Amino acid sequence: MRKFYLVITLFFVGLTLSAQVVTTTPALPKATDEITIKFYADRGSGGLADYSGDVYAHIGVITEESTSSSDWKYVKAEWNENTDACKLTRESANVYTLVLTGDLYSFFGCPTTEKIEKIALVFRGATGSPEGKDDGGGDIFVDVYEDGLNISFERTDAYLLVNPDTTISFVANASIAADLSISINDVVKKTETSATSITYSETFSTSGDYKVVVSATQSGVTMSDTLLVCVVQTPTTAARPSGVVDGINYSGNSVTFVLYAPYKETVYVLGDFNNWTPSNDYQLKKDGDYWWITIDNLTAGEEYAFQYLVDQNIAIADPYSEKILDPWNDSYISDDVYPDLKAYPTGKAEGIVGVVAPGADEYQWDVTNFTPPTNDKLVVYELLVRDFVSSHDIKNITKELDYLEELGITAIELMPVNEFEGNNSWGYNPSFYFAFDKYYGTSDNYKAFIDSCHVRGIAVIMDMVLNHAYFQCPLVKLYFDADAGEYGQPSAQNPWFNETAPNTSYSWGADFNHESTHTQDFVKRVVEYWMTEYKIDGFRFDFTKGFTNTSGDGYAYDASRITTLKRIYNEIKSINSNAYMICEHFCASSEEKELANYGMMIWGNNNNAYMQCAMGWKDNSSILSVSHNNKGWDYPNVMAYEESHDEERMMSKALRYGNSSNGYNVKDTATALDRIELNAAFFLTIPGPKMIWQFGELGYDYSIDYNGRTGEKPIRWDYYNDTDRRDVYDVYSKINKLRAKYDVFSSWNHSITEFSSTFTKRINIYSDDVNVAVIGNFDVASQWVEPNFSATGKWYEFFSGDSVDVTSTDMGVELQPGEYRLYSNKKLTVDDVKDVELVDVPEIKAQEVKVFPNPVSNCLYVESEQTIDAVRLFNITGQLVKKQMCYSSKAQVIVSEIPAGTYLLQITGSNFNRVSKVVIE
């Protein structure tokens, strides 16, 4: 892994190439050598500097069979396995040694027929932390050499980038005594006869590119090693080409890179097109606070990885990159999800790199002029790609669109799908705003998903995080003060971010400064890009309460925040007048009203009320705020929901805390599911846009805290084939189809009545064509309800198909606990709910995993035919009690310290998820 040398002054400065995290004896080790590794704990990441405990090496090899630098082979011990063979000896403060006894083949158990190319290392404390790694937090690698003559500079770099008048000391070692020489740009500077090492110092006083070569000759054989030195020149000042924008600009087989970076002194571009070598030919020109360069004669359709190197020590991908490569996470993306993913340029780059592809084929859209449903017809289905299909890819969600279309939803809102830090995440830790996250598939897969939705009349809404970004974001890295705050923070020079968030109650990552014109321009580019390139139909903006620089808790009315959101809304509407803007706001009611009346939809959290209704508890069960009429808004722009990604699941809580009376028990699964239907009847029928959280239509009953709040949840497509759960789906489907077919369910002339004495509710909706009355009994005992029929005569009950002769408008109806009815003075009909063929139904075979003994008092054993990634133990309320990573086919879980009781044990692997009930005695 490279190290970037920053020379702060132009005075005479000495620079040596030997400050490595590890050194070896012999200096150029072969696979047949016994090797001693010396580890300097205060170098590299410094995670083990001044550590007083035992230190172990997590160690393996990279062989010719390895697919990448993360594909370690013949790992000596598991991460949490402390073995004497991997324990280091402390020689002095921060200096440790480890002897790989015998040779590498015997130490690692590697067949001698397999070529070993590198030793791979990470150092750790006995408990797994702290960690000692290379510069930038990467793994440490030691080259393994062939037998015979070898020569190498003491370095981990392929090049050096320095200022003029810098002195560099070059040190090189040979494997056997030989005639050695060092030359610079083909001029010999020093020679040694029959030596195993050579040292030479040179002062580079003139800007330019230099090739330093060390050669070793012995018995007519010559070997060499090369180090490139780029001595920085003063940047050329030149105007940007006409028409270019910040980021990546294509023109035929050329790419013009433009980076806005005030206060910076130099910018170089490194990439596949120049072998990742800085030279003054690839230094960006300066145009005021902008930097730019055009690279010509690239191959059409070929992908090129690249990075900017700013001020000689900040390596970033372009903030506008539409694809990135991640050295830490890409190796966990399967070929099924992202076929032929370009390999990360291991050994050439550090951190995330961008990708350009001039002349690449464009996606051919089937639907080019989609008109999204109006707000009043919106039924949004919120889903997390990771937890919706077991393959966690957008391609297989596209295959499940029959299921969603039959459900009657009219829009899909995906939780964030632009690149975020890591793979396994909710996505609210964004890093790149113009790149579709590869963990979910290719950009064409995403476009095909949107296209398929549009064919079916389904809009696609993008969940976008513009309150904050996380620290891998180039806009954050470019101006960052690592020594400020607890974890570092944006510097005062950062054009896009506040140094600290003004919100005193909530803040995450780096806080966008929405009053900066640079942030405003960036936001405009973000929304324009996704609406034009991907034909997105609108956005749900996360935590819009934070779009302000006003200090405080964010709840009070804030005129500057209103101005910001109206500006963004106007920009979205200027691109597509039919597009949506949905705000997760949760601010002063006057502010929400102003935004709603301006045309935005505002998230309306009714989770607690519907939770109480599902459980059968009267307190705090009012659903009046679902209707804009009860909020005093001029327009029906409440994006109401019973559940969201952020809320507890109604079914989970009903099964744990449901009410009961005289044999009627909400904790019974079938009864609880009936009450989910009751809630749906009193949620989806209320006019105004609605949102459903994934699998709520099947009575999903895993707590939000199962496997940790943001952890992966079991994917239970098998629920669709359960009769009681399918009934819930059918109710959702029928009501959604009613909403789509009959305009009465968009009528502003409606009311919600709640009878506290009987815990019953009623909805009345009026239109010129038809009137509707919905009644429901949320109690756990039978109750009478008056539907408030608007006229006498024949009324029709939708779900049963029965009719009733209404002789008096105040006549009552007796409802059993959990019962609901939908009456109309005109017969309402919808198509029958069709069966759909599910594509992604994971089957969990019981014999895959053995758990014993059960009951258990001390140690629980888990065995599997496949590799177990993790074992998690939950109590019956869904709280995580113990988590243990495994990465083996066997696990041993100590439970002696856990209180006696019944628990759920979750065992997960790459393609299985097993849950077992465990009794601890």
Side-chain angles (χ1 to χ4, degrees):
M1 182 170 289
R2 299 195 317 266
K3 286 183 282 187
F4 300 118
Y5 292 85
L6 174 60
V7 183
I8 314 175
T9 72
L10 298 181
F11 299 111
F12 185 87
V13 180
L15 195 64
T16 181
L17 302 182
S18 58
Q20 298 163 283
V21 182
V22 298
T23 59
T24 62
T25 304
L28 278 63
K30 303 185 297 295
T32 53
D33 291 333
E34 180 171 278
I35 300 168
T36 298
I37 294 175
K38 183 167 288 188
F39 167 52
Y40 298 88
D42 54 352
R43 299 179 186 173
S45 67
L48 283 162
D50 301 321
Y51 181 66
S52 59
D54 292 336
V55 175
Y56 290 84
H58 185 56
I59 186 169
V61 290
I62 304 298
T63 76
E64 58 188 348
E65 301 297 325
S66 297
T67 57
S68 69
S69 61
S70 60
D71 185 16
W72 294 19
K73 304 292 186 183
Y74 309 105
V75 176
K76 188 68 175 177
E78 298 298 330
W79 178 257
N80 57 354
E81 182 181 354
N82 296 332
T83 64
D84 289 341
C86 297
K87 185 177 181 180
L88 278 72
T89 300
R90 183 180 284 107
E91 301 293 334
S92 61
N94 291 320
V95 180
Y96 299 80
T97 58
L98 175 67
V99 179
L100 310 186
T101 54
D103 58 26
L104 296 187
Y105 293 111
S106 59
F107 182 81
F108 288 103
C110 174
T112 56
T113 55
E114 191 169 343
K115 181 183 175 182
I116 297 176
E117 299 178 345
K118 296 177 186 290
I119 303 168
L121 298 127
V122 172
F123 299 100
R124 62 173 179 81
T127 62
S129 64
E131 298 178 9
K133 307 184 84 172
D134 207 341
D135 289 321
D139 299 340
I140 301 166
F141 296 98
V142 175
D143 288 329
V144 177
Y145 294 84
E146 299 280 352
D147 290 337
L149 178 63
N150 294 289
I151 184 77
S152 177
F153 283 113
E154 284 188 2
R155 73 186 195 284
T156 56
D157 309 80
Y159 63 79
L160 294 174
L161 183 63
V162 297
N163 287 332
D165 296 326
T166 298
T167 298
I168 302 176
S169 178
F170 299 98
V171 180
N173 297 298
S175 56
I176 56 178
D179 294 336
L180 310 180
S181 69
I182 289 180
S183 64
I184 300 178
N185 285 354
D186 298 325
V187 176
V188 175
K189 296 292 185 176
K190 185 175 183 181
T191 61
E192 295 279 0
T193 303
S194 190
T196 57
S197 66
I198 186 171
T199 301
Y200 173 73
S201 294
E202 174 84 3
T203 300
F204 294 87
S205 57
T206 305
S207 297
D209 299 323
Y210 299 86
K211 182 170 73 172
V212 184
V213 178
V214 62
S215 298
T217 301
Q218 202 263 356
S219 300
V221 176
T222 299
M223 302 293 288
S224 64
D225 192 18
T226 300
L227 178 67
L228 301 173
V229 177
C230 177
V231 181
V232 174
Q233 67 181 10
T234 301
T236 300
T237 298
R240 286 163 285 164
S242 175
V244 298
V245 296
D246 290 12
I248 300 160
N249 301 265
Y250 293 111
S251 177
N253 293 347
S254 299
V255 179
T256 297
F257 298 96
V258 179
L259 179 69
Y260 179 73
Y263 312 111
K264 301 304 182 183
E265 299 297 328
T266 60
V267 181
Y268 289 81
V269 64
L270 315 178
D272 294 337
F273 37 72
N274 63 1
N275 198 30
W276 293 91
T277 304
S279 74
N280 290 300
D281 289 339
Y282 288 90
Q283 186 188 62
L284 274 66
K285 301 176 179 65
K286 195 174 190 312
D287 180 5
D289 289 332
Y290 289 88
W291 301 82
W292 69 275
I293 190 172
T294 298
I295 299 178
D296 297 314
N297 301 318
L298 300 176
T299 302
E302 183 173 335
E303 290 188 325
Y304 296 85
F306 76 98
Q307 268 184 335
Y308 300 125
L309 184 57
V310 181
D311 284 356
Q312 302 167 235
N313 71 332
I314 304 173
I316 59 168
D318 191 290
Y320 296 86
S321 295
E322 296 176 16
K323 179 178 177 178
I324 63 167
L325 302 178
D326 183 330
W328 306 290
N329 296 291
D330 283 0
S331 62
Y332 300 101
I333 300 174
S334 72
D335 196 57
D336 290 336
V337 171
Y338 201 113
D340 303 317
L341 176 60
K342 181 178 174 63
Y344 182 84
T346 302
K348 300 177 180 179
E350 180 178 287
I352 292 172
V353 303
V355 175
V356 291
D361 293 337
E362 294 187 1
Y363 179 84
Q364 299 302 306
W365 292 90
D366 289 330
V367 180
T368 58
N369 58 346
F370 179 71
T371 300
T374 54
N375 290 8
D376 60 309
K377 296 294 185 183
L378 269 183
V379 179
V380 178
Y381 193 90
E382 185 190 23
L383 67 85
L384 172 60
V385 176
R386 183 198 71 188
D387 289 349
F388 195 65
V389 290
S390 60
S391 58
H392 61 71
D393 69 336
I394 198 72
K395 187 168 49 182
N396 274 332
I397 292 182
T398 305
K399 295 176 182 178
E400 300 293 5
L401 287 178
D402 283 350
Y403 171 91
L404 294 172
E405 182 181 19
E406 189 59 28
L407 182 60
I409 57 99
T410 58
I412 295 173
E413 177 191 307
L414 302 178
M415 288 171 67
V417 294
N418 57 294
E419 283 280 0
F420 46 79
E421 295 193 357
N423 286 335
N424 191 335
S425 169
W426 274 7
Y428 295 105
N429 50 340
S431 51
F432 287 82
Y433 283 86
F434 294 81
F436 181 68
D437 199 291
K438 301 185 306 300
Y439 188 67
Y440 294 155
T442 70
S443 59
D444 276 358
N445 291 156
Y446 188 34
K447 290 175 181 177
F449 164 77
I450 296 167
D451 214 8
S452 297
C453 286
H454 288 171
V455 167
R456 299 164 185 266
I458 298 172
V460 179
I461 298 169
M462 191 171 188
D463 196 347
M464 178 58 66
V465 183
L466 287 171
N467 172 71
H468 58 272
Y470 270 64
F471 301 121
Q472 288 178 358
C473 176
L475 301 181
V476 179
K477 290 185 67 176
L478 198 53
Y479 301 89
F480 192 75
D481 185 351
D483 297 323
E486 186 176 359
Y487 304 106
Q489 64 189 37
S491 70
Q493 291 181 334
N494 196 303
W496 302 278
F497 294 91
N498 292 309
E499 290 181 78
T500 58
N503 190 301
T504 56
S505 298
Y506 303 97
S507 62
W508 303 269
D511 186 73
F512 270 114
N513 174 9
H514 283 275
E515 294 183 6
S516 163
T517 57
H518 305 294
T519 299
Q520 293 168 10
D521 292 342
F522 181 75
V523 169
K524 184 176 181 180
R525 282 283 302 277
V526 169
V527 298
E528 181 180 39
Y529 173 75
W530 291 101
M531 292 177 72
T532 54
E533 181 69 20
Y534 285 84
K535 301 190 185 299
I536 286 292
D537 300 300
F539 299 89
R540 177 264 184 188
F541 291 117
D542 184 68
F543 199 69
T544 52
K545 181 170 69 174
F547 287 26
T548 180
N549 281 352
T550 303
S551 62
D553 60 13
Y555 286 97
Y557 183 89
D558 184 344
S560 65
R561 177 168 53 207
I562 291 287
T563 299
T564 292
L565 293 171
K566 286 182 177 179
R567 186 191 66 252
I568 296 172
Y569 177 82
N570 292 338
E571 290 167 351
I572 290 172
K573 288 294 187 178
S574 71
I575 300 168
N576 180 353
S577 60
N578 296 308
Y580 313 117
M581 178 168 164
I582 305 169
C583 299
E584 183 200 29
H585 209 54
F586 303 139
C587 286
S589 57
S590 58
E591 192 168 323
E592 292 193 347
K593 178 179 179 179
E594 184 172 348
L595 296 174
N597 290 345
Y598 200 73
M600 301 171 216
M601 287 177 280
I602 311 299
W603 251 30
N605 183 356
N606 292 271
N607 176 253
N608 186 64
Y610 281 104
M611 199 86 71
Q612 294 295 98
C613 290
M615 292 187 294
W617 300 109
K618 192 184 307 179
D619 292 345
N620 302 311
S621 64
S622 176
I623 61 171
L624 295 178
S625 63
V626 173
S627 170
H628 79 285
N629 289 340
N630 297 318
K631 297 173 78 72
W633 295 3
D634 296 341
Y635 300 100
N637 285 332
V638 186
M639 177 56 73
Y641 59 86
E642 301 173 285
E643 298 173 325
S644 75
H645 68 268
D646 254 341
E647 313 303 336
E648 182 58 284
R649 315 301 170 220
M650 295 183 297
M651 187 68 180
S652 170
K653 203 161 183 181
L655 292 175
R656 284 181 283 155
Y657 304 114
N659 198 357
S660 62
S661 177
N662 295 325
Y664 180 87
N665 188 352
V666 177
K667 292 178 182 178
D668 175 74
T669 299
T671 302
L673 288 169
D674 287 342
R675 297 186 72 90
I676 300 302
E677 294 179 21
L678 169 64
N679 273 4
F682 273 79
F683 172 63
L684 295 171
T685 59
I686 300 173
K690 300 289 180 288
M691 188 182 76
I692 302 167
W693 168 244
Q694 67 179 31
F695 298 132
E697 73 282 359
L698 293 174
Y700 190 78
D701 48 8
Y702 289 82
S703 169
I704 192 174
D705 294 318
Y706 181 95
N707 189 25
R709 182 179 181 81
T710 61
E712 292 183 69
K713 303 296 187 286
I715 299 170
R716 299 302 303 269
W717 282 106
D718 56 309
Y719 279 1
Y720 180 76
N721 297 316
D722 178 277
T723 302
D724 291 333
R725 294 180 186 275
R726 174 58 190 272
D727 286 345
V728 180
Y729 175 93
D730 288 354
V731 168
Y732 271 77
S733 175
K734 289 175 181 177
I735 301 176
N736 287 337
K737 290 175 180 178
L738 282 177
R739 289 175 57 96
K741 184 175 181 180
Y742 296 102
D743 289 340
V744 64
F745 294 100
S746 300
S747 174
W748 297 11
N749 186 7
H750 63 266
S751 63
I752 304 171
T753 305
E754 299 181 318
F755 302 96
S756 60
S757 60
T758 57
F759 199 14
T760 57
K761 300 180 190 292
R762 180 180 71 213
I763 302 169
N764 292 107
I765 317 173
Y766 307 97
S767 72
D768 294 338
D769 183 46
V770 61
N771 295 335
V772 169
V774 185
I775 57 173
N777 179 11
F778 293 85
D779 207 339
V780 292
S782 61
Q783 299 288 353
W784 282 84
V785 187
E786 292 185 6
N788 192 28
F789 294 115
S790 58
T792 58
K794 182 167 286 190
W795 284 69
Y796 302 88
E797 205 287 308
F798 170 73
F799 292 103
S800 66
D802 295 337
S803 62
V804 59
D805 289 322
V806 175
T807 57
S808 172
T809 56
D810 60 359
M811 67 179 288
V813 177
E814 184 179 15
L815 297 179
Q816 296 304 307
E819 190 177 2
Y820 57 92
R821 296 184 188 177
L822 190 159
Y823 292 106
S824 60
N825 62 352
K826 174 182 175 181
K827 191 171 181 64
L828 307 180
T829 61
V830 294
D831 293 336
D832 291 337
V833 183
K834 298 180 295 186
D835 293 333
V836 295
E837 182 179 351
L838 300 176
V839 177
D840 185 76
V841 184
E843 295 183 5
I844 302 172
K845 299 178 181 178
Q847 65 270 25
E848 282 185 339
V849 180
K850 296 179 181 178
V851 178
F852 61 94
N854 193 7
V856 60
S857 58
N858 183 30
C859 185
L860 187 68
Y861 296 91
V862 183
E863 295 183 0
S864 170
E865 298 172 5
Q866 304 176 48
T867 299
I868 302 168
D869 291 340
V871 177
R872 298 174 177 88
L873 194 66
F874 299 87
N875 63 25
I876 59 173
T877 67
Q879 294 177 313
L880 181 64
V881 175
K882 185 165 188 173
K883 174 182 176 181
Q884 185 169 308
M885 305 308 291
C886 184
Y887 309 117
S888 174
S889 61
K890 297 180 180 180
Q892 179 178 317
V893 184
I894 304 298
V895 297
S896 55
E897 77 282 8
I898 297 174
T902 301
Y903 294 83
L904 293 177
L905 184 74
Q906 181 195 34
I907 309 105
T908 57
S910 60
N911 59 357
F912 72 93
N913 186 334
R914 167 78 183 277
V915 178
S916 295
K917 184 180 293 186
V918 172
V919 177
I920 298 178
E921 298 178 327

